[in-house]
Amino acid sequence: MIQAFPWDDWKEEYRLADSIDMRIMEWTLDQSDLYDNPLMTQDGQKTIRELCDKYRISIPNLTGDCFMQAPFWKAETTQQKDSLLKDFEAVSIACSKVGIRNIVVPLVDNGSLDSPEQQDCLIAELLKRSEMFKQLNVTILFESDFKPGDLAQFIKKLPVPTFGINYDSGNSAALGFDVEEEWAAYSDRIINLHIKDREYQGTTVPLGTGATNFSALFSCMKNARYEGYIILQTARATDGNHLGAIQSYRDFVSQGLDLKA
């Protein structure tokens, strides 16, 4: 898979990140074996905190692929919905315990909102838990396949600062969206940004080789004075040198934004 939790090597990733001076990582959580993930266990949470301290790395964000793989807003029975909502609450509590502040909920692929009823369910259930999110100091971010205007209208229904947007450059490019139109519509709600390149209606490819308009993106980020997180959710290396690929992608972004690598 392009993106999945690295069960065998997750501890080693801290050392590797430190070796190339990467100070931020984003956790990925799948529905399969959800409660066995280190994030969801007391011992795992202790190890996460220790590794963050040892290697001077923070994990501010979670990509909740589990919510996309098993969305409560598409549950077929009340029992299934209640079970998935309990999972959502458990994940939120676990994130708070290790310092993860942003929880990305992907409303794409299997998690895509297919009807007004699904959207109403999602909004209603999350609003019921907004006080819990505040107490846990977590923010719920939505990654969506909505058109720019529709996403702007959707996010207006959910209050600042508990809810926001995760912008994914590759997914937007694959859908054929215009970067400038997107940022004009809702840039004030973007808190996290996934840097990715994809072919139009296609898969993830190395940065600069797909349909993502990086020139426009970097310009929009500068004009909006974007100060949120920038996460490399990029294509894997074809030669197995994934560490080298990450470094080259970081340089690509740093140069585009006139930052120090």
Side-chain angles (χ1 to χ4, degrees):
M1 295 175 65
I2 290 178
Q3 180 175 303
F5 182 74
W7 289 96
D8 296 332
D9 304 309
W10 71 273
K11 295 177 184 177
E12 176 67 3
E13 291 202 356
Y14 283 86
R15 186 190 65 78
L16 292 172
D18 179 53
S19 73
I20 58 171
D21 198 29
M22 291 287 256
R23 298 297 154 203
I24 292 175
M25 294 197 296
E26 187 166 286
W27 203 268
T28 298
L29 189 63
D30 299 303
Q31 184 66 20
S32 177
D33 300 316
L34 176 67
Y35 288 94
D36 291 329
N37 190 286
L39 176 65
M40 304 298 290
T41 70
Q42 189 171 357
D43 288 343
Q45 291 164 5
K46 181 175 181 289
T47 302
I48 291 169
R49 291 192 295 267
E50 290 173 346
L51 289 170
C52 285
D53 289 341
K54 179 179 180 179
Y55 291 106
R56 297 175 296 122
I57 288 171
S58 66
I59 305 177
N61 311 321
L62 168 83
T63 291
D65 281 350
C66 52
F67 308 130
M68 174 181 65
Q69 294 155 357
F72 69 78
W73 52 95
K74 291 187 175 182
E76 296 181 355
T77 66
T78 300
Q79 182 179 9
Q80 182 187 37
K81 175 185 171 184
D82 289 345
S83 177
L84 292 174
L85 281 165
K86 287 181 180 178
D87 289 347
F88 201 112
E89 293 172 357
V91 171
S92 301
I93 292 168
C95 286
S96 181
K97 289 182 177 180
V98 300
I100 293 174
R101 296 294 171 239
N102 298 315
I103 299 176
V104 178
V105 178
L107 304 179
V108 297
D109 299 328
N110 190 58
S112 183
L113 294 171
D114 299 326
S115 68
E117 291 75 21
Q118 290 178 8
Q119 183 176 153
D120 290 345
C121 173
L122 173 70
I123 291 174
E125 294 297 344
L126 292 184
L127 283 176
K128 286 179 188 176
R129 291 160 178 80
S130 59
E131 189 58 37
M132 180 192 76
F133 298 142
K134 289 180 184 177
Q135 292 177 2
L136 293 173
N137 195 24
V138 297
T139 300
I140 308 301
L141 308 182
F142 300 98
E143 181 177 307
S144 169
D145 56 11
F146 282 154
K147 294 179 180 178
D150 294 334
L151 181 52
Q153 291 302 311
F154 169 81
I155 200 62
K156 284 180 181 178
K157 299 176 182 179
L158 293 155
V160 175
T162 308
F163 301 95
I165 290 174
N166 179 87
Y167 181 82
D168 188 301
S169 63
N171 291 355
S172 289
L175 291 166
F177 294 159
D178 180 85
V179 175
E180 294 175 344
E181 182 183 356
E182 292 177 302
W183 280 70
Y186 52 72
S187 63
D188 59 321
R189 300 297 298 271
I190 298 174
I191 295 174
N192 195 47
L193 198 156
H194 286 168
I195 291 288
K196 182 192 299 179
D197 204 353
R198 288 179 60 180
E199 297 173 341
Y200 175 60
Q201 297 183 342
T203 190
T204 303
V205 294
L207 296 187
T209 67
T212 300
N213 186 343
F214 283 106
S215 177
L217 173 60
F218 294 148
S219 179
C220 286
M221 291 170 67
K222 292 176 184 177
N223 291 337
R225 295 183 176 145
Y226 177 74
E227 295 181 345
Y229 295 106
I230 301 172
I231 303 297
L232 297 173
Q233 204 178 73
T234 43
R236 292 175 181 265
T238 57
D239 60 359
N241 182 16
H242 302 301
L243 203 63
I246 286 291
Q247 288 176 290
S248 68
Y249 294 146
R250 176 176 60 184
D251 292 345
F252 178 93
V253 176
S254 296
Q255 291 166 11
L257 291 171
D258 301 319
L259 302 174
K260 291 183 178 180

